[in-house]
Amino acid sequence: MLQRKELALDERSLRNEIEALGPWFHNLHLPGGVQTLPDSFIGGDFPRFKWLEIAPHLPQDLHGWRVLDVGCNAGFYSFELARRGASVLAIDVEELYLNQARWAAGVLGLDKQVEFRHMGVYEVAQLAESFDLVWFMGVFYHLRYPMLALDLLARKTRRLMMFQTLTMPGDEVYPDTQDHPLDEREPLLDPGWPKMAFIEHRFAGDPSNWWVANHAGVEAMLRAAGLRVLTRPAGEMYLCEPDPASDARFWAGHGVVGPVLGALQAVSR
């Protein structure tokens, strides 16, 4: 009876802390069956249902792997990767989510494997290290300068990148995007031509949604960043690896990224 009462008190304490740290976006499964957001507005057990689609495509044993989780939120993916043995650097610009993640890491006993840091995606350029796995999900379409972020993260990727972004319907791919005369612009209107829709105001009620790419556009941007797609675990998801045959790396060699980052930092001051 005493043990049952202690468990009830522990559960009540967890729920009180969850409420104090809210609002939540990730549903984390904590000891005793306690969850942080069992009824997500996205539907289902989010982001667990996405993880279950991705998990079979990743190595079961990630011991010795260094992982960068970009836009980690409350840390769901960081924790799952840490459970497979990875050492994770998880970054986000929202202190609310970082506070949730640090607390949850302690509750789950994963605080030694996961470091949480307040950092934006463009600041990754300042990191001296590269990563075996870069986790880049749910962030790309929220960025004002998405291709710059993708270029930076591709340069930091040693083995794999897990990429996800909001996309338009359809999987069409235009057969020839190598070159076209200036007066031959009709192919640009084809559903399979690589493109992104720009969101000036809001999309899905969210003012931070800036871009919605089509499938062809996602694959083209990944190639342009020096990555090749290995597989698509589910819709809008692309598991990639660095492509040593790509000529995209010339961007770094020609000093493009540095001046662009300098201009970005000047604008943000």
Side-chain angles (χ1 to χ4, degrees), residues 83-223:
R83 288 189 179 105
R84 293 193 176 195
S87 167
V88 183
L89 172 60
I91 67 172
D92 208 299
V93 295
E94 294 290 344
E95 287 288 1
L96 169 69
Y97 296 142
L98 291 171
N99 289 335
Q100 293 172 352
R102 292 187 182 107
W103 172 80
V107 171
L108 295 169
L110 295 170
D111 47 327
K112 296 292 190 296
Q113 287 176 255
V114 186
E115 175 195 356
F116 294 97
R117 195 179 299 177
H118 186 272
M119 177 181 286
V121 63
Y122 308 112
E123 295 175 273
V124 168
Q126 300 169 9
L127 296 176
E129 64 178 318
S130 58
F131 299 85
D132 298 289
L133 170 61
V134 171
W135 202 265
F136 191 29
M137 293 186 59
V139 177
F140 186 80
Y141 52 97
H142 292 300
L143 301 173
R144 287 279 288 196
Y145 314 100
M147 195 65 206
L148 173 60
L150 183 57
D151 281 339
L152 292 174
L153 293 176
R155 292 173 63 190
K156 294 292 184 181
T157 303
R158 288 200 296 261
R159 300 197 207 188
L160 295 173
M161 176 187 287
M162 186 64 233
F163 178 88
Q164 183 272 337
T165 189
L166 188 66
T167 61
M168 302 179 195
D171 285 338
E172 299 91 345
V173 176
Y174 195 80
D176 178 19
T177 59
Q178 288 294 323
D179 194 10
H180 286 270
L182 188 61
D183 59 354
E184 189 180 308
R185 306 182 195 183
E186 291 79 9
L188 303 177
L189 299 175
D190 190 274
W193 188 274
K195 59 173 68 74
M196 286 208 294
F198 176 70
I199 309 302
E200 182 182 1
H201 302 293
R202 294 172 181 263
F203 193 79
D206 188 343
S208 75
N209 287 330
W210 290 104
W211 306 96
V212 184
N214 64 358
H215 163 67
V218 172
E219 291 204 328
M221 287 184 286
L222 290 170
R223 288 193 299 270

Side-chain angles (χ1 to χ4, degrees), residues 5 7 13 35 38 41 58 65 85 90 127 139 141-142 162 176 187 233 235 243 266:
K5 184 177 181 180
L7 289 173
S13 175
Q35 300 179 43
F41 72 92
L58 299 173
W65 283 52
L127 296 176
V139 177
Y141 52 97
H142 292 300
M162 186 64 233
D176 178 19
D243 183 0

